Amino acid sequence: MEGWQRAFVLHGRPYSETSLMLDLFTEGQGRVRILAKGARGRRSNLKGCLQPFTPLLVRWSGRGEVKTLRNAEPVSLALPLSGLMLYSGLYVNELVSRVLEQEANYSSLFFDYLNCLQNLAGASGSPEYALRQFELSLLHHLGYGVDFLHCAGSGEEVSDNMTYRYREEKGFIASLVIDNSSFTGRDLKALASREFPDLSTLRAAKRFTRMALKPYLGGKPLKSRELFRQFQVKRPVLPSDNSSR
């Protein structure tokens, strides 16, 4: 590859005594697997920067599935994520790692990802808003097309106080049944705009994104959710961060 690309480390693991195997999310080529030779060595100047949430400029070479890192420079210090926000960032990284194809261009999503991390780093309360916005953006870039604003049965515009039931691959159909797959027209309008004015619409967005992302994730559980559950056991659970991932 010629030239530098903006990138973030999604995940890294030791490879041999001195090297790292990295999954990167890059601006121009999406998810790329890269071998960083000698990055764990005692004299390596890369040891501190090849970490999640650090904005990077990177160069690599190679044509196979695994590339070889040539250069990496931090653009700035790592985004300051800790506690609940750190686990939320790990969740976002795992989502990207699990659902994006390797070496496919997701340049617009890259900036949505950056915006999500910045929002998490700057958040003083719940991460929910930033997470739901990113999940909806991710679904959009995956080609998940659903019309939030029209009833799939009649084609009529959704009404705020009507209830609609989600049916996979079809959309939202007017229904009197109220269950976990049911949403009000107001909920659907919030999903369409990716703006959540209250806790009710935010919770509805979480229910929807969990259902919509499930086929992409398959049956394998998310490790970040298990880590988050362990984290919750060690701290008081606030009403606003109820099972955030």
Side-chain angles (χ1 to χ4, degrees):
M1 188 204 82
E2 298 296 330
W4 296 81
Q5 281 203 41
R6 284 181 275 199
F8 282 89
V9 172
L10 296 173
H11 175 72
R13 61 181 175 84
Y15 187 88
S16 76
E17 290 186 6
T18 60
S19 299
L20 283 171
M21 186 66 73
L22 303 170
D23 276 335
L24 301 184
F25 187 25
T26 70
E27 180 182 355
Q29 288 183 251
R31 190 168 63 85
V32 180
R33 182 155 293 175
I34 288 183
L35 176 62
K37 294 181 179 179
R40 297 171 61 226
R42 191 172 296 178
R43 297 182 180 180
S44 173
N45 59 358
L46 297 175
K47 194 180 296 186
C49 71
L50 296 179
Q51 302 291 334
F53 317 125
T54 300
L56 299 170
L57 286 174
V58 297
R59 293 176 64 195
W60 66 83
S61 62
R63 297 187 177 184
E65 183 179 337
V66 179
K67 318 299 183 188
T68 300
L69 184 69
R70 292 305 177 199
N71 302 94
E73 294 181 2
V75 176
S76 67
L77 296 175
L79 292 164
L81 300 179
S82 61
L84 183 58
M85 303 307 166
L86 174 60
Y87 287 96
S88 299
L90 294 174
Y91 165 73
V92 170
N93 278 3
E94 189 172 10
L95 270 186
V96 172
S97 295
R98 288 275 297 272
V99 306
L100 293 190
E101 295 180 14
Q102 277 195 277
E103 299 183 50
N105 190 320
Y106 293 101
S107 55
S108 296
L109 181 63
F110 179 85
F111 289 100
D112 290 335
Y113 169 85
L114 173 58
N115 188 54
C116 178
L117 294 187
Q118 289 174 330
N119 287 338
L120 290 174
S124 56
S126 169
E128 297 285 332
Y129 196 97
L131 293 177
R132 301 298 81 85
Q133 284 195 320
F134 180 75
E135 288 167 342
L136 288 167
S137 174
L138 179 61
L139 285 164
H140 171 75
H141 287 286
L142 289 171
Y144 187 91
V146 62
D147 186 348
F148 295 109
L149 299 178
H150 296 87
C151 173
S154 66
E156 295 180 356
E157 290 186 15
V158 298
S159 174
D160 282 9
N161 298 318
M162 276 288 293
T163 302
Y164 301 85
R165 204 155 183 271
Y166 175 67
R167 294 189 182 177
E168 193 174 331
E169 298 182 0
K170 290 187 178 179
F172 296 90
I173 298 174
S175 173
L176 296 177
V177 177
I178 298 177
D179 59 16
N180 195 55
S181 298
S182 302
F183 300 83
T184 66
R186 184 170 176 270
D187 293 334
L188 298 184
K189 289 177 182 178
L191 284 164
S193 66
R194 302 183 197 173
E195 297 290 338
F196 312 108
D198 52 34
L199 193 56
S200 175
T201 53
L202 200 52
R203 285 174 173 168
K206 179 178 178 178
R207 283 193 292 118
F208 171 74
T209 55
R210 280 210 167 183
M211 287 187 289
L213 285 167
K214 190 174 181 180
Y216 295 97
L217 294 169
K220 188 178 177 182
L222 289 164
K223 293 179 182 178
S224 53
R225 281 183 181 158
E226 180 56 35
L227 289 172
F228 175 72
R229 291 188 189 100
Q230 294 173 16
F231 170 72
Q232 278 195 313
V233 168
K234 299 175 183 178
R235 67 188 285 273
V237 180
L238 302 176
S240 60
D241 62 40
N242 180 26
S243 187
S244 294
R245 300 318 110 241

